Amino acid sequence: MELRHLRYFVTVVEEQSITKAAEKLCIAQPPLSRQIQKLEEELGIRLFERGSRPVKVTEAGMFFYEHAVQILTHTAQATSMAQRISAVKQTVRIGYVSSLLYALLPQIIYLFRQRYPDIHVELIECGTRDQIEALKSGKIDLGFGRLRLTDPSIKRILLRKERLKLAIHKHHALAEYIDSGIYLSQILDEAIFSYPATPKPNFATAIQSIFTELGLVPKKMIEVREIHMALGLVASGEGICLIPETASDIGMKNLAYIPILDLEAYSPISLSVRNMDQSSYIPKILDCIQSVFQQEQISMHNEDS
Ligand code: BEZ
């Protein structure tokens, strides 16, 4: 039995006439009569009293009519709901740590928007640790962060290890190392600004861990609210600070940047997703990252971590 048979039957009942129903359905009368007969044969019941004018539905026919109307109504509702769902733009919520705005995040998101205009992107600033809970609760779908945090429900994909640089005033005594680079052991006596102040763990704690890993203890670490404050204070001659190398694009006046030579001096950039998430936006964003990395001549790390 097809839906059109139900529609034919319902129309004949409502019009109380094969002729009027045929007109309404825009089909000829003989095929309509044949389809009603076939329906009766298929159901093994008589739907209409024989020879009645106007057409009179039997008791069993009336029972079938009421259910047929419900089936047709549900089908129409399901069709329009499915059409509405497919018309609504898919939304991807992306959590990110703010320092990635100085890195390649803007380029990657811009490219994603160009390539997939039907996907609505929402950007939500969120510390790396908070991203784990936000992924689990569905507040975000993807998280870009800088910390090596692990959780059994979250898959972390290491994208690259961004080198660190030392920001100094251009006339600072350490400026002689601008070309040669410098080791962290050479800056322990300096006043070092670290940031952000919250939430912990953050870039400041990651820097502290690098010193600890190297067995080094800086004499004076001063925590400030955020990177612009740290750089502003460095430009004022108050001290120095470590930054991910892309943050040198901030371009504050009178600053100079020295490469850090210790192998451990990097900040990992990773993408976190829910374990088992098979959504198509994951390969799509990874493709965009790959394209931006190629453009910037950066090689993408190819292992999960
Ligand atoms: C990057 O600078 O490498 C980067 C930033 C955000 C997302 C992915 C990669």
Side-chain angles (χ1 to χ4, degrees):
M1 188 191 312
E2 295 170 29
L3 279 177
R4 74 188 164 102
H5 296 131
L6 296 184
R7 209 167 294 120
Y8 294 164
F9 168 66
V10 165
T11 312
V12 174
V13 173
E14 289 173 355
E15 295 298 319
Q16 297 183 331
S17 151
I18 292 275
T19 316
K20 285 188 194 158
E23 263 172 39
K24 194 165 179 189
L25 292 163
C26 299
I27 54 173
Q29 193 178 324
L32 178 58
S33 301
R34 267 200 306 279
Q35 294 296 342
I36 296 289
Q37 239 171 28
K38 268 177 70 181
L39 184 60
E40 287 186 317
E41 280 162 21
E42 197 179 337
L43 294 172
I45 55 171
R46 187 160 282 177
L47 294 168
F48 296 103
E49 306 285 0
R50 285 288 167 264
S52 57
R53 291 269 188 290
V55 171
K56 194 162 177 271
V57 71
T58 61
E59 198 181 332
M62 185 47 81
F63 176 86
F64 188 65
Y65 165 79
E66 277 158 14
H67 285 272
V69 168
Q70 277 183 22
I71 291 168
L72 292 174
T73 310
H74 283 153
T75 309
Q77 284 170 347
T79 307
S80 80
M81 278 194 292
Q83 283 166 344
R84 273 211 308 278
I85 288 167
S86 85
V88 170
K89 270 192 172 188
Q90 185 189 9
T91 296
V92 180
R93 294 176 187 84
I94 302 180
Y96 66 95
V97 294
S98 59
S99 68
L100 292 178
L101 290 175
Y102 308 118
L104 301 175
L105 185 65
Q107 269 167 268
I108 291 163
I109 301 299
Y110 191 79
L111 180 63
F112 187 86
R113 287 192 157 121
Q114 300 289 302
R115 279 195 191 165
Y116 309 106
D118 289 338
I119 303 180
H120 175 67
V121 175
E122 259 180 45
L123 290 173
I124 300 167
E125 191 197 346
C126 188
T128 312
R129 160 141 304 161
D130 292 343
Q131 286 180 16
I132 293 178
E133 280 318 305
L135 279 165
K136 288 187 197 170
S137 69
K139 198 174 143 204
I140 61 170
D141 304 301
L142 302 171
F144 287 109
R146 283 192 180 273
L147 302 178
R148 301 179 181 97
L149 299 177
T150 54
D151 186 286
S153 333
I154 303 297
K155 179 176 171 187
R156 198 168 66 98
I157 303 162
L158 178 61
L159 300 171
R160 72 170 169 122
K161 294 174 172 179
E162 185 179 9
R163 297 296 309 162
L164 298 183
K165 280 193 166 176
L166 185 68
I168 57 166
H169 189 282
K170 66 180 181 188
H171 295 138
H172 193 284
L174 294 175
E176 64 174 299
Y177 296 103
I178 288 173
D179 295 328
S180 63
I182 197 166
Y183 286 95
L184 291 176
S185 57
Q186 295 173 266
I187 63 168
L188 300 178
D189 293 336
E190 306 289 333
I192 306 172
F193 293 108
S194 75
Y195 53 87
T198 56
K200 296 259 168 45
N202 55 25
F203 187 69
T205 36
I207 296 295
Q208 186 60 59
S209 310
I210 294 173
F211 279 111
T212 309
E213 204 179 323
L214 292 168
L216 302 173
V217 183
K219 290 207 177 111
K220 198 171 174 193
M221 290 279 265
I222 308 150
E223 207 168 75
V224 294
R225 212 169 46 238
E226 42 112 6
I227 188 168
H228 280 91
M229 280 186 75
L231 291 174
L233 291 166
V234 172
S236 315
E238 293 254 338
I240 60 176
C241 75
L242 289 159
I243 56 166
E245 64 184 351
T246 43
S248 54
D249 289 344
I250 292 175
M252 199 172 280
K253 275 192 179 165
N254 298 323
L255 292 183
Y257 305 95
I258 308 177
I260 307 285
L261 299 173
D262 306 84
L263 288 180
E264 296 81 353
Y266 67 84
S267 170
I269 298 180
S270 31
L271 168 63
S272 297
V273 297
R274 288 178 281 272
N275 256 341
M276 319 291 283
D277 189 347
Q278 302 287 322
S279 307
S280 63
Y281 51 71
I282 298 174
K284 284 177 178 157
I285 195 85
L286 285 169
D287 278 352
C288 291
I289 295 169
Q290 182 79 271
S291 301
V292 170
F293 277 13
Q294 261 167 17
Q295 210 174 299
E296 298 292 323
Q297 299 180 335
I298 292 171
S299 51
M300 186 146 162
H301 228 267
N302 267 330
E303 43 182 270
D304 293 358
S305 75

